[in-house]
Structure formats: C-alpha cells, structure tokens
Amino acid sequence: MEIISNPTHDEIKKAANALKDGHLVAFPTETVYGLGADATNEKAVSRIYAVKGRPTDHPLIVHISSIKQLEKWAIEIPEYAIKLANKFWPGPMTLILKRSNLAKNFITGGQDNVGLRVPAHPMALELLSNFEKLGGLGIAAPSANKFGLVSPTTSTAVFEELKRNLDKRDLILDGGQSDIGIESTIIDCTDVNPVILRPGAITFELVKFCTKSDVFEYNPKLKIRASGSLEKHYSPKAQVVLDEIALPGDGLIALANFPTPKGVIRLSAPESVEDFAKDLYIAFRLGDYKEIKKIVVLQPKGSGLSVAIIDRLSKAANTSKIIKNNY
Ligand code: TXA
Ligand code: MG
C-alpha cells in the first residue's frame, strides 16, 4: 500500500479509480481518518471488516458528496433531518435514516436504516466528487483503526495501525491532522424526534436550536447499535484513569493551565476544549509509543464539545477497567 502525501488532483482521481476498482482508500476527514470502500461493492466492503477485524453486524457510515445524494440512500426523511443536513453538512454529523434499496445488509449490518454523512475535509469532498463522476454512489468508511482501538487522526497513525493488513493496491491519502479529532455526532432520525446516539462536535444544543424540537440522548437500553455501546472502544494499550492524581511515570492529559507534577509525562496540554478533542487520540497514541502503563486524564467540564470528550474518555477508561480486572 502507498501513502500519498500532499496528493495532487490527479492523485485524488487515481484514488477514486482505485475505489471504483474495489480497492480500499484511507482518507482524511475533519473528524478522523476513514477507511473507504465502494459502498455498493460487497466484496470491497467485506475487506473493510477483515482489515479492521470488525464484526460484520456493525453498520458502516456511507459518505456522500452532498445533500443531493441523500435520497439515493434514504427514504421517508423527516423534516428535521433535512434541516440538520442543510445546516451542518458538509460537517461532523452522521444521520441515521430509513434505508433505500441501495443500502444493502452488508452496509447496514442487517438493520433497516443507514448512516449517512457529507464530510467537510476538502480532500474527502474531492475524492467523493471524483468517485461519483466515475458512477460511484457513496463511500463506506469506518474510522481507519483496528476494531475497538483509537481512531487515527493522521495518515501516519493510519499507516502504523493498518500497514500489516492493507494490500499493495490500497492507498492512504495524507491530508494533515484532522481538525476536530473525535468522531462525528450520530443522530438517529428514524423517529419523531432526533436522538443523539454518539455525541460529537455538533452538540446537543446545536441540534436543538436547529430543529426546534425535543432532542433525546442515547439510551443504552435501546437495541439500536451505536458506537460506544460496546464495552471496548476508543482505547489505547495503556490503562486510562480519569481525574486521579498522576504519579511519577504516569502519562498526563489535562488542560494547559494544570501544571505537570514532577516525574509525570505530559502527553497533551491543550489550551481549549477544541484542542483537547483535536489532540486526544494523538496523546493516547504517544502514550502507547512511550510504553506508558497508565494515562491520567483530567476531564474538561461543561456542556458542548466537552460532552463528546467525556463520552470517549469514559469508554476508554471503562475498557481499561475491564482489561485490568479480567486479564
Ligand atoms: O467521524 C466519523 O463518523 C468517522 C469518519 C470516518 O466519518 N467514521 C466513524 O465510523 O467513526 P465508525 O464505523 O468507526 O463509527 C460509526 C459508528 C459505528 O459504531 C456504527 O455502529 C454506528 O456508527 N452506525 C453506523 N451506521 C449505523 C446505523 N445505521 N445505525 C446505528 N448505528 C450506526
Ligand atoms: Mg470507529
């Protein structure tokens, strides 16, 4: 497999052709890097599952180039979903809608709905529009990491994560560090009101303001599959603990105004909540690279983007606990 750094327009076309030919292309989005395949090609999509080591009943998000493609993949789209798509696409938001015949079981994990997103990263959009010029209808792409582990936010992280599993004709497009750094907000739009299944940069408040309707948060008792309803997710090799005192030898992720105690290895010192999200997974990877055993994270407080950060952290910490207790 080849990493293409600073791809030219021709190289992005080449990547679109590779997708059309059934190969995998990892590409940057503003949230995290995705591992893409032609969403109508069952064989190509099955390789995503094999490369990630992901169970096949986990649905994939289909990436499209604009809201115009929405009706190809979804039916019975509620008014509030149209409002959300108009307002936040291209952007870090995935809508779950009732599927059309195009969205086969190998994309939806056998569910009657499909996840759709128009990403905002210019390279992702260029790849999508080239792919559609070749007759492509959508690119299925999960985060480009091994199942249950940390999403990659740089092309190097994708390479390190998947180099042993990708084939010679697969590609990695380098588009710099993902701006947002954590995965898209997932909103279930199959009921009368929107339900946030996975918090992200499109916050509860933004969804409420845009739709002017009641908005519900994910209830783990619901049977619908959503990221993070799994026990193991978003986790580095190190044990992640939250809001504890860091001891010498521990890694530390905390806002910049918190000083690093003596002997503690600072992995990230973001100035803002936005930077906290942007650098979080890089800091996790750095901790693993340094073979740190325990990473202490001082969580940001409040609403907005902090909710999404706290969600990912609690899952990463939960995993650590499971591993610590059971193995
Ligand atoms: O930011 C993102 O969303 C990134 C970039 C690459 O777009 N993608 C991403 O995909 O995070 P993935 O597969 O790693 O996480 C998507 C989550 C999965 O846990 C999946 O179960 C859930 O979304 N999902 C996808 N389609 C769904 C559907 N139809 N119903 C319920 N959950 C769905
Ligand atoms: Mg993922």
Side-chain angles (χ1 to χ4, degrees), residues 52 54 143 145 151 183 198 233:
K52 276 184 66 91
R54 173 167 166 154
S143 51
N145 52 282
S151 298
E183 306 79 357
R198 179 175 73 182
H233 227 110

Side-chain angles (χ1 to χ4, degrees), residues 165-200:
N165 308 86
L166 291 173
D167 280 355
K168 237 170 84 195
R169 303 273 320 268
D170 299 331
L171 296 171
I172 300 174
L173 294 180
D174 167 35
Q177 183 184 348
S178 296
D179 251 356
I180 292 173
I182 55 174
E183 306 79 357
S184 62
T185 307
I186 301 182
I187 308 172
D188 180 6
C189 302
T190 58
D191 214 333
V192 283
N193 292 110
V195 182
I196 298 183
L197 300 180
R198 179 175 73 182

Side-chain angles (χ1 to χ4, degrees), residues 3-8 11 172-174:
I3 296 197
I4 308 180
S5 36
N6 302 316
T8 61
E11 283 170 324
I172 300 174
L173 294 180
D174 167 35

Side-chain angles (χ1 to χ4, degrees), residues 239-259:
Q239 183 196 8
V240 175
V241 299
L242 306 179
D243 301 328
E244 286 185 11
I245 294 169
L247 300 173
D250 290 348
L252 176 67
I253 299 173
L255 283 164
N257 59 9
F258 187 87

Side-chain angles (χ1 to χ4, degrees), residues 29 31-34 52 54 58-61 63 94 96 111 113-115 117 141-143 183-184 186 197-198 224-227 233:
T29 86
T31 56
V32 301
Y33 274 67
K52 276 184 66 91
R54 173 167 166 154
H58 283 249
L60 296 172
I61 297 170
H63 295 69
T94 298
I96 307 294
Q111 296 191 117
N113 49 48
V114 61
R117 171 156 113 88
S143 51
E183 306 79 357
S184 62
I186 301 182
L197 300 180
R198 179 175 73 182
I224 192 161
R225 245 183 218 297
S227 183
H233 227 110

